[in-house]
């Protein structure tokens, strides 16, 4: 029999602007609230001795799902059947009274859990041995360091009777030695047939403990399967999103990069062409690329230099070149025209890249020419996609 059997769980929260709005809705029957769907379409079974990890960005619904399983919140629709006793490990310091000693806190916890004195005496010895706090157990908890408090809370949580443990973010605590001991204890619990649901952003914790992974995205179940494979998929999606450049990012560069141009030549625009000679939204890694820089020289200009530079979306300079280094010496320009750059292979990883294009009086602007004729700093974006 599954310890947890969830079917099409959904949780919708209602938000009211004020208590008056809540009363108005109660008496008039007219909706005076806005709704937020925190969780939708989640289904899974958790068997004895199995651990399932919950992975997703902040706000994806991990904590909401734990509350539904714990019974502290009711689902808006769907069912969640839990068999056995549930223990929660949400905040290792919660439930400990800072004015009581370590021993007194353990006795207090035993009463709250309804444990028989004889049974708890045996458990208490195991908890004390596992926590390893020694004489500090006779001191008030408020005198403990954060690490000591977490060790006591963790030791208590993993030794009290339970069938299902719900862990939100907190798993391995304390120093290196205690972390190893904690992980060993978690694995012992799984071998004893205990079940665990772990919500965490730590890939190490998820890989070390969980048999399967439930991936949540914007409150919806994205996938359920092998931990290693889903972590790899999650990392790839996160990396792809981290490399993305939005329109807002581009506008930010335009407002933050004031410049004084000489104005004799104007950049009219830049085009990126694929191997078919057409403009495209995405370009393949390793494929040819042609860049066309359109200009208009309002008056004759002697020996201008065209420069193009590529930046990662976090500002790291990747590569660049100019007409002088490319072997194209321009003696004089007048009127409109186009500079063409052909790349045999775009050797860039999957991601978005800023492209800066400028026309300068000299190759070394920081020494001989502080101002360009015209400069479009990071105004263009090259989007590279790759199956690698």
């Amino acid at each position: 029999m599954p310890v947890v059997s969830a079917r099409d769980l959904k949780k919708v929260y209602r938000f009211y602007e004020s208590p008056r709005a809540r009363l108005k809705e109660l008496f008039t029957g007219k909706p005076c609230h806005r709704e937020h769907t925190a969780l939708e379409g989640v289904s899974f079974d958790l068997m004895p001795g199995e651990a399932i990890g919950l992975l997703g960005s902040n706000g994806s619904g991990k904590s909401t799902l734990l509350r539904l399983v714990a019974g502290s919140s009711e689902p808006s629709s769907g069912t969640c059947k839990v068999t056995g006793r549930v223990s929660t490990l949400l905040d290792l310091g919660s439930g400990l009274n800072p004015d009581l000693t370590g021993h007194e806190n353990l006795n207090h916890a035993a009463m709250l859990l309804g444990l028989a004195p004889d049974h708890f005496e045996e458990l208490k010895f195991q908890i004390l041995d596992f926590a390893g706090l020694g004489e500090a157990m006779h001191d008030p908890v408020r005198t403990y360091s954060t690490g000591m408090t977490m060790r006591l809370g963790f030791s208590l949580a993993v030794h009290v009777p339970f069938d299902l443990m719900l862990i939100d973010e907190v798993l391995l605590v304390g120093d290196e030695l205690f972390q190893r001991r904690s992980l060993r204890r978690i694995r012992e619990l799984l071998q004893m047939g205990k079940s665990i649901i772990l919500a965490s952003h730590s890939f190490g914790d998820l890989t070390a403990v969980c048999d399967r992974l439930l991936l949540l995205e914007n409150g919806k179940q994205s996938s359920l399967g092998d931990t290693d494979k889903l972590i790899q998929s999650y990392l790839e999606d996160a990396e792809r999103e981290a490399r993305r450049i939005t329109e807002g990012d581009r506008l930010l560069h335009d407002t933050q990069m004031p410049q004084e141009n000489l104005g004799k030549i104007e950049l009219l625009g830049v085009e990126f062409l694929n191997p078919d000679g057409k403009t495209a939204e995405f370009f393949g890694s390793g494929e040819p690329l042609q860049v066309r820089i359109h200009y208009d020289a309002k008056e004759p200009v002697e020996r201008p230099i065209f420069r193009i530079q590529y930046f990662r979306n976090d500002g790291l300079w990747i590569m660049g070149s100019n007409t002088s280094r490319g072997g194209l010496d321009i003696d004089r320009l007048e009127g409109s025209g186009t500079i063409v750059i052909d790349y045999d292979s775009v050797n860039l990883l999957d991601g978005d890249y800023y492209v800066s294009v400028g026309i300068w009086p000299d190759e070394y602007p920081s020494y001989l020419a502080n101002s360009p004729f015209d400069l479009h700093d990071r105004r263009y974006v090259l989007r590279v996609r790759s199956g690698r």
Side-chain angles (χ1 to χ4, degrees), residues 125-171:
F125 177 78
Q126 297 176 13
I127 294 171
L128 293 175
D129 181 63
F130 191 89
L133 296 179
E135 292 299 320
M137 290 295 296
H138 298 285
D139 300 327
V141 169
R142 56 181 166 79
T143 65
Y144 289 8
S145 67
T146 302
M148 293 170 65
T149 304
M150 296 177 73
R151 286 173 66 161
L152 178 60
F154 185 89
S155 302
L156 174 62
V158 297
H159 284 89
V160 297
F162 69 87
D163 299 291
L164 169 65
M165 176 174 284
L166 306 178
I167 307 175
D168 193 0
E169 300 294 349
V170 183
L171 180 56

Side-chain angles (χ1 to χ4, degrees), residues 111-242:
M111 289 188 292
L112 291 177
L113 293 170
L115 298 178
D118 294 342
H119 183 203
F120 183 68
E121 281 303 315
E122 180 182 351
L123 286 179
K124 188 174 182 180
F125 177 78
Q126 297 176 13
I127 294 171
L128 293 175
D129 181 63
F130 191 89
L133 296 179
E135 292 299 320
M137 290 295 296
H138 298 285
D139 300 327
V141 169
R142 56 181 166 79
T143 65
Y144 289 8
S145 67
T146 302
M148 293 170 65
T149 304
M150 296 177 73
R151 286 173 66 161
L152 178 60
F154 185 89
S155 302
L156 174 62
V158 297
H159 284 89
V160 297
F162 69 87
D163 299 291
L164 169 65
M165 176 174 284
L166 306 178
I167 307 175
D168 193 0
E169 300 294 349
V170 183
L171 180 56
L172 304 183
V173 299
D175 54 31
E176 179 69 20
L177 184 60
F178 190 80
Q179 287 185 23
R180 294 186 182 185
R181 193 185 308 166
S182 301
L183 182 57
R184 186 164 59 247
R185 176 60 181 172
I186 290 293
R187 288 172 172 166
E188 288 175 355
L189 292 171
L190 292 172
Q191 292 174 358
M192 293 164 57
K194 311 299 182 182
S195 301
I196 295 175
I197 300 179
L198 168 64
S200 178
H201 290 288
S202 170
F203 301 132
D205 291 354
L206 293 170
T207 302
V209 173
C210 301
D211 309 286
R212 292 186 294 157
L213 201 63
L214 175 61
L215 195 58
L216 294 172
E217 185 176 352
N218 297 322
K220 297 182 179 180
Q221 181 172 327
S222 174
S223 52
L224 174 64
D226 179 74
T227 299
D228 290 336
K229 292 180 179 179
L230 287 187
I231 284 180
Q232 181 65 28
S233 175
Y234 178 83
L235 281 171
E236 291 171 356
D237 292 341
E239 182 67 19
R240 189 175 295 111
E241 180 64 23

